[in-house]
């Protein structure tokens, strides 16, 4: 589903500034704060996905993760990850 530009912008800013603020995949009109999720580092090429509602978060491997390799999630919702890296960088540069 497409997000309105202002909602996308708010989600991006909130997600980057507060790494524990995550898009609710099960309830798309909401974001939620999950302090435990702040322990996962962000990657634009994550090896795990976050599934969440307003009350719980589950982190699932999206591919095989070798022992000792860091589990990485995206702080951004999938809709923003699908944008080009240049476009995401331009948003951060303001």
């Amino acid at each position: 589903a497409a997000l309105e530009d202002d909602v996308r912008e708010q989600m991006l800013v909130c997600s980057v500034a507060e790494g524990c603020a995550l898009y609710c995949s099960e309830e798309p009109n909401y974001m939620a704060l999950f302090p435990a999720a702040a322990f996962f580092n962000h990657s634009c090429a994550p090896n795990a996905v976050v599934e969440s509602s307003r009350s719980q978060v589950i982190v699932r491997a999206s591919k095989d993760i070798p022992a000792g390799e860091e589990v990485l999630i995206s702080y951004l919702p999938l809709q923003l990850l699908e944008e080009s890296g240049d476009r995401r960088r331009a948003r951060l540069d303001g």
Side-chain angles (χ1 to χ4, degrees):
L3 297 173
E4 294 179 25
D5 287 341
D6 61 331
V7 173
R8 291 170 67 97
E9 194 72 28
Q10 291 170 0
M11 290 174 69
L12 176 64
V13 170
C14 195
S15 294
V16 171
E18 304 290 339
C20 58
L22 298 171
Y23 172 72
C24 294
S25 60
E26 302 302 314
E27 298 178 70
N29 293 325
Y30 294 93
M31 290 186 73
L33 296 174
F34 296 107
F39 289 102
F40 290 95
N41 283 322
H42 167 79
S43 173
C44 287
N47 57 14
V49 295
V50 175
E51 298 171 5
S52 63
S53 66
R54 289 182 283 169
S55 60
Q56 69 177 350
V57 63
I58 297 171
V59 177
R60 295 187 194 274
S62 57
K63 56 185 168 184
D64 289 340
I65 303 172
E69 185 174 317
E70 184 175 13
V71 176
L72 300 168
I73 64 171
S74 173
Y75 297 158
L76 306 176
L78 292 177
Q79 291 91 336
L80 291 177
L81 260 188
E82 291 169 355
E83 291 184 349
S84 72
D86 290 338
R87 173 122 186 203
R88 289 194 308 269
R89 273 188 290 286
R91 286 178 183 273
L92 292 173
D93 292 339

